[in-house]
Amino acid sequence: MDNQYPCTMKKLIISAIAALALVSCGTFNEARLINGGLKAAQAASISNEQIQAYVQQSVAQLDAQNTVLPATNAYSKRLAKIVKDFNQIGDTPLNFKVYKTDEVNAFACADGSVRVYTGLMDLMNDEEVLGVIGHEIGHVYLQHSLKAYKNALLTSAALDAIASTGNVASVLSDSILGQLGEAMVSAKHSRKQETAADDFGYDFLKALGHNPWHMAYAFEKLLGASSGGSAQASRVAEMFSSHPNTQARIERVAQKATAEGIQKPAR
């Protein structure tokens, strides 16, 4: 193997060494610094399959920490009806669950787990919920979710846990999985990635025979939910702080649909 690390690897190793130096309490420990670099290099070599295994552990913990509604619940039945026309994206099988919470959110994970909050379902009709789901699974299909999780893995205490055993399949503690799960729910994708996921969601609706104007309507409702001074509005606004301007997203969808001659559906 060439002894020149790629630029990103160099940065990762340098960061790990710097972090270890800061917590050394003034004691220089060369072996510790070298070990830090080796741990960074080892963790960076984790395969996508191994990351998926950690994602599944994080999702299992998220499900345990939230109120997951049973299949017999009205919300679960409604979601099952909304997603009845598809069960995978690319080569990734999808599984859907509803979290009982007033929060307005939904997220999709690299392993195909999609979680929709009752707060979002209360705010939107079925077509709009489908548009949000299309956007979220766009992040999965485009591997944004996988990359975000790997980044969280490499910058968390998981780095030490993995390296301490020399085994990337090591079992992570509940606290570490909790950190990774939270990072997964509130992943900050780049604006470019968000735009790409919007495009995916738009095409996703069309491919399923649904009117893509509903994506614009979903964004309008999210924009409304982020307005005002309530704690809920603040959470929604924070959730979308890394996204492109919501009004611009609405206009972009509207322009595309208009250019394609797609009529606005009744609300």
Side-chain angles (χ1 to χ4, degrees), residues 23-36:
V23 299
S24 63
C25 299
T27 302
F28 182 79
N29 187 324
E30 184 178 1
R32 189 180 184 191
L33 294 179
I34 293 173
N35 186 46

Side-chain angles (χ1 to χ4, degrees), residues 4-15:
Q4 294 298 313
Y5 288 107
C7 181
T8 53
M9 183 75 78
K10 286 182 180 178
K11 290 180 180 178
L12 187 59
I13 293 173
I14 290 170
S15 297

Side-chain angles (χ1 to χ4, degrees), residues 39-130:
K39 287 191 295 184
Q42 180 186 29
S45 68
I46 298 174
S47 70
N48 288 350
E49 290 73 20
Q50 290 160 336
I51 292 175
Q52 294 283 26
Y54 285 129
V55 171
Q56 290 173 5
Q57 291 180 45
S58 294
V59 171
Q61 188 181 74
L62 283 171
D63 287 351
Q65 292 173 341
N66 286 276
T67 302
V68 178
L69 295 178
T72 54
N73 182 271
Y75 282 101
S76 298
K77 289 181 178 180
R78 180 184 166 199
L79 181 60
K81 178 183 176 183
I82 292 171
V83 302
K84 64 181 176 60
D85 292 329
F86 61 98
N87 57 17
Q88 69 178 60
I89 190 69
D91 296 327
T92 304
L94 299 173
N95 66 89
F96 299 88
K97 290 183 181 179
V98 179
Y99 285 176
K100 183 180 179 181
T101 170
D102 291 336
E103 287 191 47
V104 178
N105 199 5
F107 64 92
C109 307
D111 71 332
S113 296
V114 182
R115 302 295 180 259
V116 182
Y117 295 18
T118 53
L120 182 82
M121 297 181 73
D122 288 337
L123 181 68
M124 298 182 180
N125 64 31
D126 290 0
E127 302 279 354
E128 294 159 356
V129 171
L130 184 62

Side-chain angles (χ1 to χ4, degrees), residues 104-255:
V104 178
N105 199 5
F107 64 92
C109 307
D111 71 332
S113 296
V114 182
R115 302 295 180 259
V116 182
Y117 295 18
T118 53
L120 182 82
M121 297 181 73
D122 288 337
L123 181 68
M124 298 182 180
N125 64 31
D126 290 0
E127 302 279 354
E128 294 159 356
V129 171
L130 184 62
V132 172
I133 290 173
H135 171 92
E136 293 301 328
I137 64 176
H139 284 306
V140 175
Y141 181 78
L142 298 169
Q143 295 198 330
H144 301 160
S145 301
L146 185 71
K147 292 173 183 176
Y149 190 90
K150 184 173 184 178
N151 183 61
L153 190 73
L154 297 182
T155 56
S156 74
L159 185 66
D160 287 325
I162 294 169
S164 66
T165 63
N167 179 7
V168 291
S170 58
V171 176
L172 301 180
S173 69
D174 287 347
S175 62
I176 293 175
L177 287 174
Q179 295 170 15
L180 294 173
E182 180 58 33
M184 193 162 53
V185 173
S186 58
K188 300 294 185 182
H189 300 294
S190 71
R191 290 175 184 262
K192 182 178 180 180
Q193 289 176 330
E194 293 293 355
T195 298
D198 284 351
D199 288 342
F200 182 96
Y202 180 98
D203 292 336
F204 174 79
L205 284 177
K206 286 177 60 180
L208 292 177
H210 295 271
N211 193 315
W213 274 101
H214 288 293
M215 175 166 276
Y217 293 169
F219 290 158
E220 287 178 355
K221 288 186 176 179
L222 289 172
L223 183 61
S226 66
S227 303
S230 68
Q232 173 72 302
S234 297
R235 284 195 295 271
V236 175
E238 171 62 23
M239 182 175 65
F240 287 94
S241 62
S242 65
H243 291 52
N245 177 273
T246 304
Q247 186 60 47
R249 297 170 80 187
I250 294 169
E251 293 171 0
R252 188 166 180 270
V253 171
Q255 289 170 359

